[in-house]
Amino acid sequence: MTAAERAERTDAADDLCIGAYDAAGGPDTGVALVAVGGYGRGELAPYSDLDVVLLADDGVELGELGHQLWYPIWDSGSKLDHSVRSLGEMLEAAASDARVASGLLDVRHVAGDPNLTIRLRTNVLAHWRRDARQRLPELHELVRSRHRLIGELAHMSVPDLKEAEGGIRDATVLKSLTATWLVDIPAADLERSRLQLLDVRDVLHAAAGRATDRIAPEHWPALAAAMGLPDDRAAQRQVRELGRRITHLSRLVWRRADDALRKTPAGKPRRPDLERLAPGVALSNGEVVLDRGARPASDAVLLLRAAAEAARRNVVLAPPTAARLVRECPPLPDPWPEEARRELVRLLAAGPGLLAVWETLEETGALAGILPEWERIRLLPHASEIHRFTVDRHVVETCIEAATLIREVSRPDVLLVAALLHDIGKGGVVEHSAAGEPIARAIATRMGFEAEAVELVALLVRWHLLLVTTATTRDPDDPATVELLTEHLRTPEALALLTALTEADAKATSGKAWSSWRAGLVRDLSRRTQAALERGSVPAPIAGDDVEIPDAARSGSLAITVEPAGDGSRVTTVSADRVGLLADCAATFALQRLQVRAARIWAQMEYGVSVWDVADDILDAGRLRNMFDSVVAGRVDPAARLAPRPNGSGHDLAPTVVVRPEASDQATVIEVRTADRLGVVYLVSSVLAELGLSVRSAHISTLGPQAVDVFYVQDGAAGALPAARAAAAAAAIRERLSPSEASGA
């Protein structure tokens, strides 16, 4: 109904303007009255201004025509936004301001000389296409500045239908991008959402009785009634859904536009290159797509794998690819296989790259299969105004914040899943932490976590507000304050996880929620509680089942065996033990670009034994042996090829290297936490070898994006290292693992 009414309003405005032009004696040649903006697009809301320009050909004098033209329109009661310009002035303004040029793409003839209007349109469009590579960066920065200033329509407490990210102006800008011919746009989807937002604005004008683009709380009931929806919440959800859809399309299209701008204009089209990233997943033109050998119908984890790869690289998960995977991939079994859980953790740990990929999963319906409980909180407004976002977006932001804190906890996977589920109980009448606990327990169980991790996730969801609430409302010197926490948090591990989740949750809420004062209170209480809980840190015992020593190892060679292990391989090496053996083995795997998921290394009599679980299901023992021999003989220099480099994102996390003197009486235990990347074990073990230290045992594990490696080190037969020597070893490891700008050049 509102679309028809917009057309009627536009026709009436045209009749008014044409009558005024004729009454003022407007000529048929050399002068034209043109409509721009919403009037130019024929999209007048009930209280919209008439945005018009009296256009004169260069050299034509208008005299008093403008004054004679405007007064009859004002007298009609219409609001007028008018200007008088020559053709040259209009083209000059378009050439100097991308915003003006984009707006003039919607110019429409109303009265006077139609040929003059055509010349204006033709010139503006031709220059827009010719100069697009120079103009679009300027336009994109204008768009980003507006987003930073206004906010996002889907999450604002008082949504702005026009200027907010995902609003009407964004939809109009996307139409101007289409005119450049540089990038394809899902035009039908965009136009459908844009028209629906225009309908909402029409209803808002009628409800408010004035021109406004902001939906105040008192307007929601009238909007719900006019839109045929049952209540305020349904109206909010529908409007925010439209904003989210346009936001998603805008981010997708701008990424594609930026990618097109980086490329030199090509000559003859050619088949796009595919860079294989993971089984079934490839990168093409800056978007994650399916590899040519992908078999979605037989790979239930393919969607999560593709999403994780896109998020980790902060690139687009191609929506057609995601939609196809939703249609063709079989449902995940209950419980999930280990790979599915691992890929979900990698996705959640991706940092800033998570947001756009999660939006694609939402827009393509993928979350219904991965996390059906998400519907409980989708586009759900927060009751508290301190929150910047709706509940669902807040949860994603919490995961992004939690990804920066994974070095501080022993179970990054538990932290990230708890961040995802911490508000899953919202939207009902029961207090959301209590309501969320059984939901989170069921989800973690379905995801295939072991019983201990399931209980940790449920515990964190249930008590995720306990630490910050206690810290800000209780006397920290009162013993009862700490007792309140230890009643629910029985281990230092649970406390560390809750501390990290508390910080991530607060930072995702708003700057006010994690002020330096609140942060100080929380951290102080966490330290006090840890002191109450701490009974000494006892790591897992040095493990290593005795293996049969192969003849090759007894004769002085390295024995290598490879066997399948799930979706990867298990590699066992045995050789005469020596200082530097672990470094050479680790270099062999890293130089073959093999992702090590876990490893155990130990000494068995005079032999060094290692067992490695790697993410490659097709390995050749001979190839590994050749690389090992090349490393030992010095034909390959692993130090140069495996030196850490900055990741280029500006989000490098400093490695954490800690000596644990309480963990063993026979050896010095060095715990290393750093970003999971090729060569970590080599870099650490090479430092130890250079220092003449032997590795009695090592326990290598990858938890999401973090490598957590523990080395039991001895100085020959002398047992544990002196404190000074242990500290020096830790410092040397930390320095070796830290990326430098020079190494990245």
Side-chain angles (χ1 to χ4, degrees):
M1 185 186 342
T2 54
E5 292 171 349
R6 284 194 295 274
E8 291 175 2
R9 284 191 290 269
T10 300
D11 290 342
D14 284 353
D15 291 341
L16 174 64
C17 290
I18 292 170
Y21 185 86
D22 291 342
D28 294 332
T29 59
V31 180
L33 183 65
V34 298
V36 295
Y39 181 28
R41 293 187 295 274
E43 297 169 353
L44 289 175
Y47 291 91
S48 290
D49 293 351
L50 302 183
D51 197 350
V52 296
V53 178
L54 183 60
L55 178 67
D57 205 351
D58 294 332
V60 174
E61 294 295 332
L62 293 174
E64 296 297 315
L65 178 60
H67 293 291
Q68 297 171 8
L69 173 59
W70 308 137
Y71 280 105
I73 301 176
W74 284 327
D75 290 343
S76 73
S78 298
K79 290 185 292 183
L80 190 64
D81 186 352
H82 63 87
S83 61
V84 179
R85 296 285 187 272
S86 70
L87 178 62
E89 289 172 338
M90 293 286 277
L91 295 178
E92 183 180 349
S96 61
D97 191 327
R99 179 169 42 193
V100 173
S102 175
L104 287 179
L105 295 174
D106 294 318
V107 70
R108 182 174 61 85
H109 181 73
V110 176
D113 186 353
N115 291 323
L116 182 59
T117 305
I118 291 173
R119 286 167 57 197
L120 174 62
R121 285 177 56 87
T122 302
N123 275 279
V124 168
L125 182 58
H127 291 166
W128 180 249
R129 287 174 177 160
R130 184 195 66 192
D131 301 333
R133 290 183 175 274
Q134 290 73 45
R135 309 306 299 278
L136 288 192
E138 177 189 352
L139 182 62
H140 196 185
E141 182 52 39
L142 290 171
V143 169
R144 284 191 291 245
S145 297
R146 173 167 50 81
H147 292 170
R148 289 191 293 266
L149 178 64
I150 305 298
E152 189 174 340
L153 189 155
H155 306 292
M156 296 172 68
S157 57
V158 180
D160 187 317
L161 295 173
K162 183 178 180 181
E163 301 293 344
E165 183 175 7
I168 295 168
R169 192 175 295 282
D170 269 0
T172 303
V173 168
L174 292 185
K175 291 182 67 177
S176 70
L177 288 184
T178 305
T180 67
W181 292 348
L182 285 176
V183 62
D184 291 329
I185 292 177
D189 198 4
L190 171 64
E191 188 65 4
R192 181 169 54 251
S193 299
R194 189 181 73 87
L195 291 175
Q196 290 179 30
L197 270 188
L198 291 174
D199 292 347
V200 174
R201 185 174 66 173
D202 288 356
V203 173
L204 175 62
H205 277 209
R210 59 184 175 84
T212 180
D213 296 311
R214 293 169 61 83
I215 307 178
E218 63 268 19
H219 294 145
W220 287 114
L223 286 179
M227 297 163 67
L229 298 172
D231 53 30
D232 299 13
R233 180 170 173 180
Q236 286 204 45
R237 182 162 183 165
Q238 181 159 317
V239 171
R240 296 179 190 281
E241 187 83 66
L242 292 171
R244 168 167 286 179
R245 183 61 184 158
I246 292 176
T247 295
H248 174 69
L249 292 174
S250 180
R251 290 173 180 169
L252 174 66
V253 170
W254 273 114
R255 277 179 179 252
R256 289 175 174 173
D258 290 344
D259 185 58
L261 293 177
R262 285 192 293 268
K263 296 178 181 177
T264 303
K268 182 179 178 181
R270 60 186 181 87
R271 191 175 187 179
D273 292 330
L274 289 176
E275 177 189 348
R276 187 175 185 271
L277 302 178
V281 181
L283 185 68
S284 176
N285 293 325
E287 298 189 10
V288 167
V289 298
L290 296 185
D291 197 6
R292 295 189 180 96
R295 297 292 183 268
S298 59
D299 191 346
V301 186
L302 185 53
L303 175 60
L304 278 171
R305 192 182 309 128
E309 293 296 336
R312 288 182 64 241
R313 289 166 171 78
N314 200 8
V315 297
V316 172
L317 172 61
T321 296
R324 178 187 171 188
L325 293 175
V326 171
R327 293 192 307 269
E328 298 184 15
C329 285
L332 287 165
D334 186 356
W336 289 9
E338 180 183 355
E339 184 191 2
R341 186 172 68 255
R342 184 171 63 245
E343 294 299 343
L344 175 68
V345 171
R346 292 176 68 229
L347 170 64
L348 299 178
L354 171 65
L355 178 58
V357 172
W358 196 265
E359 288 178 348
T360 298
L361 294 177
E362 281 201 284
E363 292 296 328
T364 56
L367 288 184
I370 298 171
L371 188 61
E373 295 85 355
W374 188 256
E375 188 65 21
R376 295 174 53 94
I377 61 172
R378 190 171 66 86
L379 293 172
L380 178 66
H382 268 108
S384 170
E385 292 186 1
I386 194 174
H387 281 273
R388 293 177 292 169
F389 304 113
T390 51
V391 175
D392 54 346
R393 174 64 181 276
H394 165 75
V395 164
V396 176
E397 294 288 340
T398 302
C399 291
I400 294 172
E401 294 290 349
T404 68
L405 302 173
I406 57 177
R407 300 288 160 70
E408 301 178 14
V409 298
S410 60
R411 290 296 301 264
D413 51 347
V414 168
L415 172 63
L416 291 165
V417 171
L420 177 67
L421 302 179
H422 77 281
D423 276 349
I424 199 66
K426 286 193 171 180
V429 295
V430 178
E431 197 279 323
H432 77 279
S433 297
E437 179 185 7
I439 300 172
R441 180 180 284 106
I443 294 171
T445 301
R446 186 174 71 236
M447 289 177 176
F449 279 100
E450 73 277 16
E452 181 182 359
V454 168
E455 292 308 312
L456 268 177
V457 169
L459 177 76
L460 293 173
V461 171
R462 176 63 183 91
W463 300 111
H464 70 271
L465 297 176
L466 176 65
L467 184 56
V468 68
T469 301
T470 306
T472 55
T473 60
R474 299 292 185 94
D475 181 356
D477 294 323
D478 189 331
T481 301
V482 170
E483 290 175 5
L484 179 62
L485 269 74
T486 56
E487 178 184 351
H488 303 292
L489 306 170
R490 302 300 176 87
T491 65
E493 178 184 46
L495 174 64
L497 286 164
L498 181 61
T499 303
L501 178 58
T502 299
E503 180 174 345
D505 185 17
K507 286 181 174 178
T509 299
S510 70
K512 295 179 181 178
W514 195 247
S515 63
S516 59
W517 173 75
R518 291 171 69 90
L521 291 176
V522 168
R523 289 166 179 161
D524 181 64
L525 180 58
S526 179
R527 284 192 294 268
R528 290 169 181 262
T529 307
Q530 181 177 357
L533 290 170
E534 197 65 66
R535 295 295 183 270
S537 177
V538 182
I542 298 174
D545 299 330
D546 285 353
V547 300
E548 183 177 350
I549 305 300
D551 292 339
R554 295 182 184 278
S555 63
S557 299
L558 176 74
I560 300 178
T561 58
V562 178
E563 57 184 344
D567 57 346
S569 300
R570 178 161 296 154
V571 182
T572 302
T573 73
V574 184
S575 176
D577 202 7
R578 58 177 171 81
V579 172
L581 175 62
L582 174 58
D584 292 340
C585 288
T588 298
F589 288 99
L591 292 171
Q592 292 290 316
R593 304 192 66 80
L594 297 175
Q595 179 188 354
V596 177
R597 294 172 178 162
R600 292 184 294 118
I601 296 92
W602 69 94
Q604 182 174 320
M605 299 182 294
E606 69 270 27
Y607 297 98
V609 182
S610 64
V611 178
W612 308 75
D613 285 339
V614 298
D616 194 319
D617 57 358
I618 304 176
L619 274 184
D620 178 66
R623 187 183 69 177
L624 294 175
R625 172 61 185 271
N626 290 338
M627 178 58 73
F628 179 83
D629 291 343
S630 296
V631 170
V632 173
R635 295 190 296 271
V636 176
D637 180 13
R641 294 173 59 177
L642 299 176
R645 292 173 172 80
N647 63 25
S649 68
H651 295 283
D652 292 288
L653 295 176
T656 301
V657 184
V658 180
V659 178
R660 302 290 188 190
E662 76 285 354
S664 174
D665 294 330
Q666 291 77 37
T668 294
V669 177
I670 300 177
E671 179 184 278
V672 178
R673 293 172 180 262
T674 189
D676 179 32
R677 58 175 179 257
L678 292 172
V680 169
V681 180
Y682 163 74
L683 292 170
V684 175
S685 52
S686 64
V687 170
L688 297 175
E690 291 167 11
L691 295 175
L693 303 176
S694 61
V695 179
R696 171 183 165 186
S697 172
H699 306 267
I700 313 302
S701 62
T702 301
L703 295 172
Q706 179 178 228
V708 182
D709 303 337
V710 178
F711 299 83
Y712 286 71
V713 179
Q714 292 181 325
D715 191 354
L721 309 181
R725 187 153 164 74
I733 293 170
R734 192 178 301 110
E735 181 179 1
R736 185 70 58 86
L737 289 175
S738 299
S740 65
E741 294 301 327
S743 67

